Amino acid sequence: MIWMQNVLDNSEVYPHVSHLIYPVFVSVFVTAIRSLIERCFFEPLGISNGLKSSKSPITKNDALEVAFLNSGRNEHKNRYWIHNLAKQVNWSDDQVERWMWCRYYENQPTELMYFKECGWRFTYHTTLFIIGVLVLSDKSWLWNIDECWTDFPNQRISADVWWYYIIHLSVYMSHTCSQLLSRKRSDFVEMFIHHVVTILLMTLSWVSNTVRIGTLVLVVHDSADIFMEAARIAKFLKYPRICNLGFGLFFIIWIISRLGIFPFYILKNIWFDAAIDVLGSPVIALLILLLYVLLGLHLFWTFLILKILYQFIISGKIADDSRSFSADLPSDDGESKKKTN
């Protein structure tokens, strides 16, 4: 345990695979903090602003229930399928469509739960970004990326970098466990891949002692998400101007950080400027492959963001993203939302 004493004494240590057991334990602590923050702050805030903690029951219909259970992921959006079902149950197309949307969102978390999750993500992205900037502000590789490879692989890391990496890894471990234990969402696959890739990237960078370049990747990725979660919180609390401002800042920083700095500064440095043989080590090669998988996810999410931006230009307001809920429900053209036979 000499290395742990070095960390506590603010000495420099070499990253070692045995250190990776600590994020597992710290993730339990992170989960407890998340529960505390959500229950003591964001839950009362959401309730005081009228966010629903439960959902209205829907009209029972065995034929529609069977059709829903046998339907594909997005079949409830298929107008032809909706029309055929309406004939079978002698309902209007609008009634069947709304029933399907309500049934679909019955399996999704409530408004209040979504709000608490947004609040937690805003909290940890903001906290980790600030910690990252403070930790790296006096590190030479923040200002000169080529310093990431000076004396590589015989590089020690300081105690603050050690803790920054361990806490970051703990947060993603906590999120992955929470995602597996909670209800599956429409973006489950994408988010699960993102979490697994991130954990693998951090683990591989730790064992290969490419922690310096890893810290830059972490700071770059936390920067934009702060404003996305702020925009979501503002939308829940019905502050449209703040929501639009937050989304605008998010879009600008996303493009700069995820599609600018990450591929053309960090990945470029790894490929062309790093004093390493990128294909000489299986670990380094896998590390680079996963970085490009991450870049692919960025491109996919950029496409979704551009769709939201297009809707904003057309309608003048931010549309709900793939994890939205009640706002996506079709109206009944001014009629009562009650279904009739």
Side-chain angles (χ1 to χ4, degrees):
M1 298 296 290
I2 295 176
W3 66 266
M4 189 62 189
Q5 185 62 46
N6 289 339
V7 169
L8 295 176
D9 292 340
N10 291 324
S11 302
E12 293 186 338
V13 298
Y14 285 109
H16 192 272
V17 66
S18 62
H19 302 179
L20 296 174
I21 190 62
Y22 285 88
V24 177
F25 297 109
V26 177
S27 66
V28 178
F29 181 67
V30 169
T31 303
I33 291 179
R34 173 182 179 173
S35 178
L36 185 66
I37 290 175
E38 288 184 352
R39 292 186 179 184
C40 296
F41 182 74
F42 288 105
E43 183 171 320
L45 180 61
I47 292 175
S48 65
N49 282 272
L51 296 183
K52 299 177 181 178
S53 58
S54 61
K55 299 177 182 179
S56 302
I58 62 174
T59 303
K60 184 178 180 180
N61 188 296
D62 293 337
L64 293 181
E65 180 68 21
V66 171
F68 174 82
L69 294 175
N70 294 327
S71 64
R73 177 176 176 180
N74 293 313
E75 203 159 8
H76 60 285
K77 302 177 184 179
N78 188 320
R79 297 294 300 181
Y80 179 75
W81 183 71
I82 293 291
H83 181 70
N84 287 336
L85 282 176
K87 288 183 178 179
Q88 295 177 27
V89 299
N90 196 28
W91 284 10
S92 69
D93 289 7
D94 288 341
Q95 288 176 324
V96 172
E97 182 181 16
R98 182 166 183 82
W99 191 97
M100 285 295 171
W101 276 104
C102 290
R103 181 63 181 85
Y104 174 77
Y105 285 110
E106 192 176 59
N107 292 333
Q108 305 300 313
T110 62
E111 284 183 329
L112 183 60
M113 187 175 295
Y114 271 116
F115 176 73
K116 292 191 298 182
E117 290 177 356
C118 289
W120 163 245
R121 288 194 296 268
F122 173 79
T123 301
Y124 85 77
H125 279 305
T126 304
T127 303
L128 289 178
F129 177 73
I130 293 174
I131 292 175
V133 170
L134 293 176
V135 166
L136 296 180
S137 60
D138 62 344
K139 304 300 185 291
S140 58
W141 64 87
L142 177 64
W143 313 106
N144 180 8
I145 193 172
D146 292 332
E147 288 292 320
C148 290
W149 314 109
T150 301
D151 298 327
F152 177 83
N154 301 311
Q155 297 173 341
R156 291 176 177 266
I157 59 173
S158 58
D160 53 357
V161 172
W162 190 93
W163 281 111
Y164 174 59
Y165 230 71
I166 293 299
I167 293 173
H168 228 301
L169 186 53
S170 302
V171 169
Y172 278 101
M173 286 183 175
S174 174
H175 287 180
T176 303
C177 292
S178 298
Q179 188 181 26
L180 291 174
L181 296 175
S182 61
R183 291 178 176 180
K184 301 300 183 291
R185 314 226 182 140
S186 58
D187 63 344
F188 173 83
V189 175
E190 296 91 338
M191 292 306 299
F192 184 74
I193 292 174
H194 176 267
H195 292 339
V196 171
V197 168
T198 302
I199 292 172
L200 287 175
L201 278 170
M202 296 188 69
T203 301
L204 291 173
S205 67
W206 189 267
V207 300
S208 63
N209 203 7
T210 53
V211 172
R212 290 186 178 184
I213 200 75
T215 57
L216 298 182
V217 174
L218 291 177
V219 170
V220 165
H221 280 71
D222 279 327
S223 58
D225 291 331
I226 296 172
F227 297 97
M228 182 74 263
E229 300 307 333
R232 286 173 173 163
I233 291 173
K235 185 175 180 64
F236 276 109
L237 300 181
K238 297 179 175 59
Y239 292 107
R241 292 184 178 178
I242 297 178
C243 174
N244 294 345
L245 176 61
F247 181 77
L249 292 172
F250 160 74
F251 179 74
I252 293 171
I253 297 175
W254 174 278
I255 296 298
I256 293 173
S257 61
R258 304 291 183 98
L259 300 186
I261 296 174
F262 179 61
F264 295 109
Y265 184 65
I266 296 177
L267 290 182
K268 173 183 174 294
N269 179 266
I270 295 174
W271 267 112
F272 299 107
D273 303 323
I276 58 172
D277 182 3
V278 295
L279 299 179
S281 167
V283 174
I284 298 295
L286 180 57
L287 189 66
I288 294 174
L289 175 62
L290 291 174
L291 285 172
Y292 277 95
V293 171
L294 196 59
L295 179 60
L297 288 172
H298 294 171
L299 295 173
F300 171 74
W301 281 323
T302 300
F303 170 73
L304 298 181
I305 293 168
L306 289 174
K307 288 176 62 177
I308 296 175
L309 182 62
Y310 174 77
Q311 293 174 353
F312 172 71
I313 294 174
I314 297 300
S315 64
K317 60 182 180 180
I318 300 296
D320 291 313
D321 65 11
S322 60
R323 284 171 282 183
S324 59
F325 38 91
S326 58
D328 283 334
L329 298 177
S331 65
D332 287 320
D333 296 322
E335 297 294 328
S336 171
K337 296 181 180 180
K338 180 179 179 181
K339 285 77 175 178
T340 59
N341 291 317

